[in-house]
Amino acid sequence: MFDLTWTGIKAGTATMEILDEEDSMKIISTASSADWVSFFYTVDDRVESLLCMPGSSSTIGLPQSYRIKLREGRHRRDKEVRFEHAARRAVYLDHLKKKEQVFAIEGEVFDPLSSFYLVRKADLEVGRSVFVNVFDSKRMWNVEIQVLRKERIETRLGSFDTIVIKPLMKSEGIFNRKGDMTIWLTDDDKRIPVMMKTKVVVGSVTATLVGGQY
């Protein structure tokens, strides 16, 4: 569970969850605005990524589907990508507009949410970038994730030694294109995200870990 704060004021909550099934794994990310924010600007977002069990060189398995449902003020979006890796294609579905498109993909390709978990498994060395192939916004991206520094931070849960990363992505999803995002991961084998900060039109939004189970 994460608290979302805007310019130091609590503006909502977010969650990140992993569900293990027999032959697959589901990653779920949600975000919702606090009541006082919803009076002006309601946020109710849910993102899901369904991955097969690892069987390739990937450490987390390849995504089978990715769905993002957004409600942000008057803005609505409900889109899905179904990955057909053997056929080297991705099927893009816009559930609101009732449209379907097919795009070619190459190699091991991830969606924005599963790519975040792949990076957590990577060998993160300060000053050396990690690159991940991501399909989003109807195209392929070779995303660079910069490993900036190591830093000790204080949160409500205590002190953490962290490694700080910065994804350079220009699409939607957890690596949002609206502004720079910086992520603080615990500097250990778990690589738990304890803080995330992204720029918005006015100021910035910070997500800080306040509880949960690993």
Side-chain angles (χ1 to χ4, degrees):
M1 174 75 72
F2 297 83
D3 273 351
L4 301 177
T5 57
W6 172 67
T7 63
I9 304 170
K10 184 173 179 179
T13 58
T15 65
M16 300 185 78
E17 181 181 11
I18 298 178
L19 302 177
D20 286 320
E21 302 177 358
E22 288 187 6
D23 57 353
S24 63
M25 176 177 71
K26 180 179 286 188
I27 305 170
I28 303 171
S29 174
T30 67
S32 59
S33 52
D35 290 343
W36 74 270
V37 176
S38 296
F39 184 78
F40 303 97
Y41 188 88
T42 299
V43 174
D44 183 13
D45 297 348
R46 183 181 178 91
V47 184
E48 294 186 6
S49 178
L50 180 66
L51 291 80
C52 60
M53 295 301 289
S56 61
S57 60
S58 168
T59 56
I60 66 169
L62 294 174
Q64 300 178 39
S65 64
Y66 170 75
R67 187 161 185 173
I68 178 168
K69 299 179 72 174
L70 304 179
R71 180 190 177 192
E72 298 177 356
R74 295 182 179 179
H75 177 69
R76 301 287 191 278
R77 179 155 297 186
D78 184 355
K79 69 176 185 179
E80 182 178 3
V81 178
R82 296 174 185 168
F83 292 91
E84 299 177 2
H85 295 278
R88 297 183 178 180
R89 69 178 201 166
V91 181
Y92 174 91
L93 303 165
D94 188 324
H95 291 286
L96 297 181
K97 296 180 180 179
K98 308 298 182 183
K99 291 184 179 180
E100 178 178 318
Q101 295 173 272
V102 178
F103 299 88
I105 58 176
E106 292 290 338
E108 294 190 344
V109 182
F110 296 84
D111 58 70
L113 187 55
S114 62
S115 66
F116 172 61
Y117 281 83
L118 180 69
V119 170
R120 289 176 58 196
K121 298 284 188 179
D123 181 16
L124 300 179
E125 180 182 329
V126 174
R128 184 169 64 88
S129 295
V130 175
F131 293 85
V132 182
N133 289 325
V134 175
F135 181 85
D136 192 35
S137 296
K138 303 181 184 181
R139 62 169 292 183
M140 291 273 297
W141 307 83
N142 186 234
V143 179
E144 177 184 4
I145 297 92
Q146 295 179 340
V147 185
L148 302 181
R149 62 186 181 275
K150 295 191 176 185
E151 182 179 344
R152 187 170 180 82
I153 64 172
E154 299 284 341
T155 75
R156 281 174 48 186
L157 298 181
S159 301
F160 294 94
D161 290 318
T162 67
I163 188 162
V164 186
I165 63 173
K166 181 180 180 180
L168 304 180
M169 186 143 176
K170 299 178 181 179
S171 69
E172 299 173 310
I174 191 167
F175 296 160
N176 202 298
R177 67 180 175 183
K178 296 179 182 178
D180 292 338
M181 173 175 277
T182 307
I183 303 171
W184 285 256
L185 303 172
T186 55
D187 189 16
D188 55 22
D189 292 339
K190 295 179 180 179
R191 297 274 171 76
I192 297 172
V194 292
M195 189 165 68
M196 295 176 278
K197 183 178 290 186
T198 185
K199 294 180 181 178
V200 292
V201 176
V202 178
S204 63
V205 173
T206 301
T208 306
L209 185 68
V210 294
Q213 296 180 334
Y214 181 82

